[in-house]
Amino acid sequence: MAQRFLTRKFCFSHISLLTLFFILIFPFAALSQHWPKIPFPYGPMGLNSMPWIVAKEANLFEKNGLNVDMIFVGVSTVMVQSMLSGSANVAGLGGPAVVSNVLRGGDIIQIAATVPYFTQSLMVRPQITELAGLRGKKVGITRFGAVTDLALRALLERNNIQDVTILQMGGLAETMAGLSKGSVDGSMVSPPHNFTLLKQGFRELVSPRDLRKLGIGFLTNGVVARRSYAASNRDVAVRMIKATAEGTKLMTTNEGLTKKLISKYLHIDDPELLQQSYLYVIENFAREPTVPPGAMQWMAQQLAQMNLVDAKALQNTPPSAFYDNSYVEELKQSGFFDSLWK
């Protein structure tokens, strides 16, 4: 009897030690099984989505107590629809789709801005050497009312360029392919597609830096949430932003990891393109992802001018309806960003 007790005690101790060893070595894997899964649609499949890719690969979501199921969707309007249907409560997107959703009665708002400006490039055939050369030409964008569309229209309007045919191509890959195959004379694309087109011999007529000189506030990407969900799950919203910020920090400081993940997810193996992509990453993400109020208002006004949203609804909607900076502010007040970037 004593022998049996000792054997059982030994087995129990052995199992306990193995369990403890597993938890110590694989803490996130052990604990994340008990956390509810959080669907996280995101897009585009480009450099502007790298903070979430890095956060996922480096277990930063798990570090912050989140079991995130990342789902690449790409098209922002589809992501908004999936959120309105209840399929997701948080997502990685930004820009016009959020504004359109609010003005149509939806409750999806911006809670963080990872890329608070235009990051698009206007790529053209090498024969076109100035903006005036676009007159009578065709330029491809992803979709009407999307980031690429608003960037192009702002550029043309500020330079008084008319008689340009704007064509919807679908996604960034299709927009790039349209220029490569000659179906359009120019394309509005985001990195790294501009780097690839440069390598193919096309001209970058307008760079992201040129677009910033226009002085137009914008929001290309960030974290969004259903207002009702974020209010009742404030800790989740804050931790999502925290993990995103940590992903941003890691990707800007760990060149080897970042290039590895760019290669894995964006299928870029060319050393020159990888270096250009990494330089973009370390220069273009906000350290404190506060949503710029003026950018949301400008986007809303542009969409109203294009008759893509109801102008009367815009007049009756305060700018604060599009965003909530209290989650970023909470992290800021706690000293999180100062500690992260010191």
Side-chain angles (χ1 to χ4, degrees):
M1 183 69 180
Q3 180 64 35
R4 183 183 299 175
F5 174 77
L6 289 172
T7 303
R8 285 180 178 174
K9 184 176 181 180
F10 172 79
C11 290
F12 178 77
S13 300
H14 187 62
I15 292 170
S16 298
L17 285 172
L18 285 175
T19 302
L20 179 61
F21 175 79
F22 178 80
I23 291 173
L24 289 173
I25 301 301
F26 305 106
F28 301 139
L31 293 175
S32 64
Q33 295 176 0
H34 303 290
W35 300 330
K37 187 167 287 188
I38 301 173
F40 186 76
Y42 74 99
M45 185 54 76
L47 295 178
N48 289 335
S49 294
M50 286 306 296
W52 304 306
I53 291 172
V54 171
K56 186 64 177 177
E57 290 277 351
N59 293 321
L60 298 178
F61 289 122
E62 289 85 348
K63 174 192 170 191
N64 286 283
L66 299 169
N67 183 12
V68 173
D69 182 20
M70 286 180 55
I71 308 159
F72 170 67
V73 177
V75 181
S76 56
T77 52
V78 175
M79 283 189 271
V80 166
Q81 288 303 316
S82 71
M83 294 179 73
L84 292 175
S85 70
S87 299
N89 291 302
V90 289
L93 67 102
V98 176
V99 173
S100 300
N101 145 79
V102 171
L103 293 177
R104 290 171 182 151
D107 71 337
I108 298 168
I109 59 168
Q110 202 81 43
I111 62 171
T114 53
V115 190
Y117 22 69
F118 285 121
T119 60
Q120 289 65 43
S121 293
L122 175 56
M123 306 299 299
V124 298
R125 295 183 183 185
Q127 301 93 322
I128 301 174
T129 59
E130 58 182 5
L131 280 170
L134 291 176
R135 291 189 173 96
K137 301 294 195 298
K138 296 178 289 186
V139 179
I141 58 165
T142 52
R143 296 176 183 274
F144 292 135
V147 173
T148 51
D149 187 19
L150 293 191
L152 176 61
R153 290 178 191 272
L155 177 65
L156 297 177
E157 182 181 318
R158 288 296 177 94
N159 290 276
N160 196 29
I161 305 294
Q162 300 175 355
D163 303 322
V164 175
T165 302
I166 301 175
L167 299 177
Q168 289 189 115
M169 309 300 289
L172 286 171
E174 291 82 3
T175 305
M176 183 179 76
L179 182 58
S180 296
K181 295 177 181 178
S183 57
V184 293
D185 304 288
S187 287
M188 209 73 189
V189 297
S190 298
H193 302 291
N194 55 329
F195 305 142
T196 302
L197 288 169
L198 275 170
K199 190 95 172 176
Q200 293 175 2
F202 293 98
R203 183 189 304 276
E204 186 178 44
L205 192 62
V206 178
S207 70
R209 204 166 284 176
D210 295 328
L211 283 172
R212 286 193 215 175
K213 291 178 182 177
L214 297 178
I216 297 172
F218 198 75
L219 201 161
T220 294
N221 219 351
V223 180
V224 303
R226 299 197 69 160
R227 187 185 288 274
S228 53
Y229 175 84
S232 58
N233 296 272
R234 188 174 184 86
D235 62 323
V236 174
V238 169
R239 282 183 279 147
M240 283 295 303
I241 296 171
K242 190 176 179 183
T244 300
E246 290 175 346
T248 302
K249 170 65 183 297
L250 182 59
M251 75 178 184
T252 60
T253 55
N254 191 326
E255 182 176 352
L257 173 65
T258 303
K259 286 183 175 179
K260 177 183 176 182
L261 295 180
I262 290 172
S263 178
K264 175 181 177 180
Y265 282 86
L266 306 184
H267 308 294
I268 297 174
D269 297 317
D270 182 282
E272 182 182 347
L273 295 181
L274 274 176
Q275 182 63 20
Q276 289 175 321
S277 298
Y278 179 67
L279 290 176
Y280 170 86
V281 159
I282 64 176
E283 294 173 358
N284 286 282
F285 287 84
R287 292 193 170 195
E288 292 184 8
T290 303
V291 179
M296 304 300 288
Q297 190 66 9
W298 182 86
M299 287 188 292
Q301 292 168 351
Q302 293 301 304
L303 293 172
Q305 288 179 17
M306 295 163 63
N307 295 317
L308 293 173
V309 297
D310 188 344
K312 189 172 291 186
L314 175 59
Q315 291 177 354
N316 297 323
T317 304
S320 58
F322 303 120
Y323 66 94
D324 186 345
N325 274 326
S326 68
Y327 305 97
V328 172
E329 189 62 27
E330 180 178 324
L331 284 170
K332 187 175 180 179
Q333 292 299 321
S334 73
F336 167 73
F337 295 113
D338 288 338
S339 176
L340 179 66
W341 293 100
K342 68 179 179 181

